[in-house]
Amino acid sequence: MEREMPDKSVVVNLNEFERTRRVQVSPEIVSALHNCRDLLIEGSTRVLTRQSEAMENALLAMAERAPLLETRNSYYAAQSTLNKRANELLSACKDAYCTRFNDFAHARDKAAGADMLELSLVDDQDFEITLVVDKATSRLRYNCAEELVALDARMAHLMGRSDLSENDNPLGPRALCEALLEGIGRVQSEQHVKIVLLNQFDLALTTELAHIYQSINRALIERGVLPDLKVGAKSRAQPSGAQGAPASGGTPQAAGADPGSDIFRLFEQLAGGGGLVPGAAGGYPGGGAGHGFGAGFSLVDSLGQLQTGSILLPDGGRFTLPLAEAATIQNVLRSLQRSPVMQAASPLDAVLVDAVAMLFDVVFDEASVPDRLKAQIARLQIPVLKAAMLDRNFFSQPNHPVRRMLDAIATLAVHLPDNEAGNARLDAISEVVSRVLDGFEQDVAIFAFAATQLEAMGTLLDDTLDRTADAGLQHEIDEIKQAERAELAPVIVHDFINRALKDQPVADTMREFLRRDWAQLLTRDYLQEGETGAHFNSHVETMRELVWSVQPKADMDARLMLVRILPGLLKRLREGVAEIDLPQKLSDHFFATLVILHANAVRPNAQPVPLPDISPEDIAELTPAAEAAWNGTASTAVGSDLEPTAVEIEDEFTARARALNKGDWVEFHYDDGTFRWARLGWISGVKNTYLFSDQDGMNSFSIGLHRLADKLRRGEAVLVERKSITESAFGKLLNLFRQKLGVA
């Protein structure tokens, strides 16, 4: 227990000193930090999920080439962990990173004396781990050098520090690698397997992490954190001149903020042109005098009244907009433009009204947003216009709260199946929209709060769908894998046998046994477990030992080795022969031959003992019975309801199908005029079979690559891009206004 110091004591209580020295982090900074944290770890886990099958294939290839059994086992164990526990593994990595990051964000210091405790000897395992983390960190930092210079500076500025070393940045590669290693350790405790998995994660992230850091830099720029810092803001996918320019009024905009970066300048040009925009003063007969609006007229105040009901005109009449009901899609801003309210508006205000009206026209034409969601967006027309009048950053900032809310609503389209669950989700969206309609006056923060709620809803639904679909598709995935293994089994098995026999002087009887009889056992193992299965590899190893055992043994060491392994080898061979129900006569002939081959292998003279004979007629008579079980197994695995084949054409549609990743959505259209959305849940790396599930992750179907490409080619399938509808709309809007002005 600490003793309290006297009031006049000259002794400094170091614990109290450390508490007072800590920087108090504001809620705004914590929010920015959490946003950056989520961008990094969510982006990284998405990349790793997308690359999981490629990592598995790489591990299998490395295991095949590895000369040492221990190394091969590490690769196989890592591949098995990825194959069976990928979701658990990535979830553990995400949790580990968030915990570490939160400790930093909340300034949780190490316990007193922790630094002293760290001055201890490091054992070989810890040293090896340190080297691996250092190597992974260096590789990632090298590929993200430009982005990290800017990110280190912005994080230092955000935390009120003069500088921030590269390894102290909680968003840096070292913090990420250490968290990934910790998460891997929660699922896989074996040291070498953890190292193998970390190396694979590092390689998968090497080419993708720079883009994630670019998005974090853009997010910090939008929050005003060193917006003029040029380093690291450049997009690799765009020319260097595509940086966002400051909008009128000197407010710096986010890098890559096109098309909004110069849109307001076009508005001002249009307003100065006079008569170009319907609704501008002078644009209607009589100008603004017909209804006697005074000089103190405020369009924003009028919008506030229209948001809650009607507006009182100077002549005593009332003007009310058509109701934007949840069941209708109507651009009420067009009615506003034709109203007497607009006759007293300034030219620039009239341009802004026209711009927002055109924005909603584009959104309402967006085919990827269903009508019942468009109806919810339609309810927000007056609040959105009012917000745009109050905060003109709406036109230039892609991450503006109002635009975030509209985008969040549109993104939820994939989670609205036409059933009870979809209707309940639509009701929840409607409640959020109603709160904005009732509560918005001047502060656009209400849109930010609503956007956060909707985004959280989308994230929760995505996560729930991931878990539901992964569980629901597992049976179909297993069936497809087994069917593909059945097709590949003869090729794979005979390849293993040929490699075992390559350049080995083996009697024809032994070759025939391996290719005719032992191949049945290997095929059965491959169908059940695949190439990495324990039984398959055990029987392959038995085959290799068998081939070695019948080779001539010129020295005593080789003969002693044969004596040691022979009892176990014969035991495994008899068990294998029993598994495939080899006829007794064939079995007896094989083992009699094997005895002579082993005797010949250790004979000091060159005169071999002749092998026992069996007539070809006996073999032909017995072989069909031995193969019957294998033929039945293979036919069962392949199944009878195979998908019809499609013509293999390599074009842009095939490329689009190949580019699909797990979690992408496709809209399938049918002859009766109906359509349904399907989410891609799994892609076979062997035959490019795509497995889809519906919006609830329940019903599933599979389709081949070229058949899917053919549907895309015919318009029977359309890729659903979960993009920002407001960004897309502003791009079209910018082109429209440029056409009005005759700007190229």
Side-chain angles (χ1 to χ4, degrees):
M1 179 181 295
E2 286 183 8
R3 291 190 304 172
E4 293 188 1
M5 297 293 179
D7 292 340
K8 296 183 179 181
S9 173
V10 295
V11 179
V12 177
N13 186 333
L14 292 179
N15 292 326
E16 290 298 324
F17 174 73
E18 281 299 314
R19 292 191 191 103
T20 59
R21 216 162 53 93
R22 296 171 187 161
V23 177
Q24 296 299 314
V25 182
S26 69
E28 293 77 14
I29 292 178
V30 171
S31 174
L33 289 172
H34 286 181
N35 183 47
C36 295
R37 174 201 66 191
D38 293 344
L39 286 172
L40 177 60
I41 193 59
E42 294 291 346
S44 299
T45 50
R46 276 197 299 271
V47 171
L48 295 175
T49 300
R50 191 168 63 245
Q51 295 290 335
S52 61
E53 192 161 357
M55 288 189 284
E56 288 184 48
N57 294 335
L59 288 169
L60 290 176
M62 289 190 293
E64 182 64 30
R65 296 192 299 268
L68 300 177
L69 179 61
E70 182 180 0
T71 306
R72 286 202 303 272
N73 289 339
S74 296
Y75 289 140
Y76 283 135
Q79 186 272 340
S80 178
T81 301
L82 272 178
N83 182 264
K84 298 176 180 177
R85 306 178 68 183
N87 290 338
E88 180 185 354
L89 182 65
L90 294 179
S91 178
C93 291
K94 185 187 297 187
D95 290 344
Y97 178 78
C98 290
T99 300
R100 284 171 170 260
F101 189 97
N102 291 344
D103 289 344
F104 170 88
H106 295 288
R108 295 176 189 164
D109 296 336
K110 296 179 181 178
D115 291 339
M116 294 299 295
L117 292 174
E118 290 176 357
L119 298 176
S120 59
L121 294 176
V122 179
D123 62 24
D124 291 342
Q125 287 192 342
D126 288 341
F127 182 66
E128 184 181 14
I129 284 289
T130 301
L131 288 179
V132 171
V133 171
D134 287 343
K135 181 179 178 182
T137 301
S138 299
R139 181 159 49 203
L140 292 177
R141 180 164 283 278
Y142 176 81
N143 285 280
C144 307
E146 182 182 9
E147 290 79 7
L148 284 168
V149 169
L151 187 58
D152 289 345
R154 290 192 170 101
M155 286 297 292
H157 178 80
L158 195 63
M159 299 305 299
R161 301 183 185 181
S162 57
D163 59 25
L164 192 68
S165 68
E166 60 183 34
N167 287 337
D168 288 340
N169 187 344
L171 298 172
R174 185 168 195 87
L176 180 61
C177 289
E178 289 177 345
L180 290 176
L181 185 64
E182 181 182 340
I184 293 169
R186 297 179 183 179
V187 175
Q188 172 59 253
S189 59
E190 189 175 344
Q191 175 90 336
H192 292 297
V193 180
K194 290 195 294 185
I195 291 173
V196 169
L197 286 171
L198 180 63
N199 281 330
Q200 285 300 308
F201 284 7
D202 177 57
L203 291 171
L205 289 169
T206 295
T207 58
E208 300 281 349
L209 194 58
H211 298 292
I212 297 174
Y213 282 142
Q214 288 169 18
S215 67
I216 296 174
N217 273 314
R218 286 196 295 270
L220 290 173
I221 288 170
E222 291 169 7
R223 289 177 177 264
V225 181
L226 300 183
D228 296 324
L229 185 66
K230 300 300 181 186
V231 180
K234 181 172 65 178
S235 171
R236 293 170 184 251
Q238 296 179 358
S240 58
Q243 301 296 322
S248 60
T251 304
Q253 303 304 328
D258 283 337
S261 57
D262 61 345
I263 194 169
F264 206 82
R265 193 175 299 111
L266 291 178
F267 293 166
E268 292 172 334
Q269 294 177 39
L270 281 165
L276 289 175
V277 183
Y284 293 95
H291 288 273
F293 285 94
F297 167 79
S298 169
L299 180 57
V300 171
D301 291 341
S302 298
L303 293 175
Q305 296 176 50
L306 288 173
Q307 182 179 328
T308 57
S310 60
I311 183 173
L312 181 63
L313 300 175
D315 62 1
R318 282 191 171 274
F319 171 72
T320 305
L321 285 174
L323 291 177
E325 297 291 349
T328 61
I329 305 170
Q330 181 180 5
N331 195 330
V332 298
L333 299 185
R334 295 303 183 195
S335 299
L336 176 65
Q337 285 183 296
R338 295 187 294 269
S339 74
V341 176
M342 290 304 300
Q343 294 186 31
S346 70
L348 181 57
D349 283 350
V351 172
L352 297 182
V353 173
D354 192 45
V356 177
M358 293 170 68
L359 173 71
F360 277 100
D361 283 338
V362 175
V363 170
F364 293 157
D365 287 338
E366 179 60 53
S368 65
V369 181
D371 286 349
R372 51 186 184 161
L373 267 191
K374 289 178 183 176
Q376 294 299 325
I377 293 174
R379 298 172 62 200
L380 291 166
Q381 290 174 82
I382 295 299
V384 168
L385 174 59
K386 182 179 171 183
M389 305 291 292
L390 290 167
D391 182 7
R392 290 171 183 177
N393 287 326
F394 167 78
F395 296 99
S396 59
Q397 292 182 350
N399 206 33
H400 189 276
V402 178
R403 293 172 65 169
R404 275 181 58 207
M405 181 181 179
L406 296 177
D407 287 337
I409 294 175
T411 303
L412 289 169
V414 296
H415 294 297
L416 291 181
D418 191 12
N419 56 25
E420 186 176 347
N423 294 334
R425 294 164 193 170
L426 186 65
D427 290 341
I429 297 170
S430 179
E431 288 179 10
V432 176
V433 172
S434 296
R435 283 196 290 270
V436 172
L437 289 170
D438 296 338
F440 176 52
E441 294 181 0
Q442 299 260 333
D443 188 359
V444 295
I446 192 172
F447 286 95
F449 181 70
T452 301
Q453 285 184 296
L454 294 167
E455 289 164 352
M457 184 190 304
T459 301
L460 178 62
L461 291 173
D462 281 337
D463 292 344
T464 302
L465 181 58
D466 282 343
R467 291 192 295 271
T468 304
D470 288 347
L473 293 177
Q474 194 55 54
H475 179 68
E476 286 82 354
I477 291 173
D478 292 341
E479 285 186 343
I480 293 173
K481 284 183 176 180
Q482 189 169 19
E484 292 177 343
R485 287 198 297 264
E487 188 170 339
L488 292 174
V491 178
I492 298 294
V493 167
H494 284 88
D495 179 61
F496 271 91
I497 295 173
N498 289 336
R499 277 186 281 173
L501 293 172
K502 186 177 181 182
D503 301 327
Q504 302 294 331
V506 178
D508 291 341
T509 303
M510 190 62 57
R511 291 178 181 273
E512 190 66 23
F513 168 77
L514 292 178
R515 288 179 171 155
R516 184 194 64 225
D517 303 323
W518 201 253
Q520 297 176 36
L521 183 61
L522 293 179
T523 301
R524 184 177 300 174
D525 293 337
Y526 183 82
L527 285 175
Q528 293 174 352
E529 304 174 335
E531 193 172 333
T532 61
H535 289 89
F536 180 84
N537 283 280
S538 174
H539 290 140
V540 167
E541 194 63 32
T542 299
M543 173 179 65
R544 290 170 178 164
E545 286 187 11
L546 173 62
V547 172
W548 176 86
S549 71
V550 297
Q551 305 304 310
K553 305 293 182 286
D555 56 79
M556 184 58 67
D557 288 341
R559 293 172 188 171
L560 291 174
M561 176 64 73
L562 177 60
V563 171
R564 282 198 298 269
I565 72 168
L566 197 54
L569 174 61
L570 291 174
K571 180 177 182 292
R572 294 195 302 274
L573 286 170
R574 291 190 182 279
E575 289 173 348
V577 165
E579 283 188 51
I580 58 174
D581 294 326
L582 190 67
Q584 190 64 41
K585 189 171 183 178
L586 289 179
S587 176
D588 292 343
H589 176 263
F590 165 72
F591 284 105
T593 302
L594 188 59
V595 169
I596 296 175
L597 289 174
H598 285 153
N600 288 338
V602 297
R603 285 175 66 86
N605 55 55
Q607 184 64 35
V609 176
L611 300 177
D613 291 331
I614 184 171
S615 67
E617 292 78 11
D618 289 340
I619 295 177
E621 179 182 347
L622 295 169
T623 298
E627 293 178 345
W630 139 243
N631 289 333
T633 303
S635 61
T636 301
V638 173
S640 59
D641 55 341
L642 295 177
E643 175 192 324
T645 58
V647 180
E648 296 187 5
I649 301 173
E650 292 294 335
D651 58 7
E652 61 175 307
F653 298 100
T654 310
R656 288 183 196 173
R658 288 188 195 278
L660 285 173
N661 295 304
K662 180 181 177 181
D664 289 344
W665 291 84
V666 177
E667 187 177 271
F668 288 92
H669 294 259
Y670 301 99
D671 293 338
D672 60 0
T674 61
F675 68 90
R676 67 166 168 168
W677 284 3
R679 175 185 176 275
L680 180 58
W682 178 76
I683 306 173
S684 161
V686 178
K687 294 192 66 180
N688 288 324
T689 301
Y690 290 66
L691 189 58
F692 287 92
S693 60
D694 62 13
Q695 288 169 280
D696 281 331
M698 304 301 291
N699 301 310
S700 63
F701 66 94
S702 61
I703 185 172
L705 167 68
H706 291 285
R707 189 159 173 243
L708 176 59
D710 187 56
K711 285 186 174 293
L712 291 171
R713 197 176 293 115
R714 297 169 178 270
E716 296 172 4
V718 179
L719 305 183
V720 178
E721 298 183 55
R722 297 178 70 176
K723 59 187 178 182
S724 164
I725 59 165
T726 58
E727 190 170 351
S728 174
F730 271 108
K732 296 175 183 177
L733 191 63
L734 184 60
N735 291 332
L736 289 172
F737 277 106
R738 280 176 170 166
Q739 291 172 13
K740 282 190 176 186
L741 285 171
V743 179

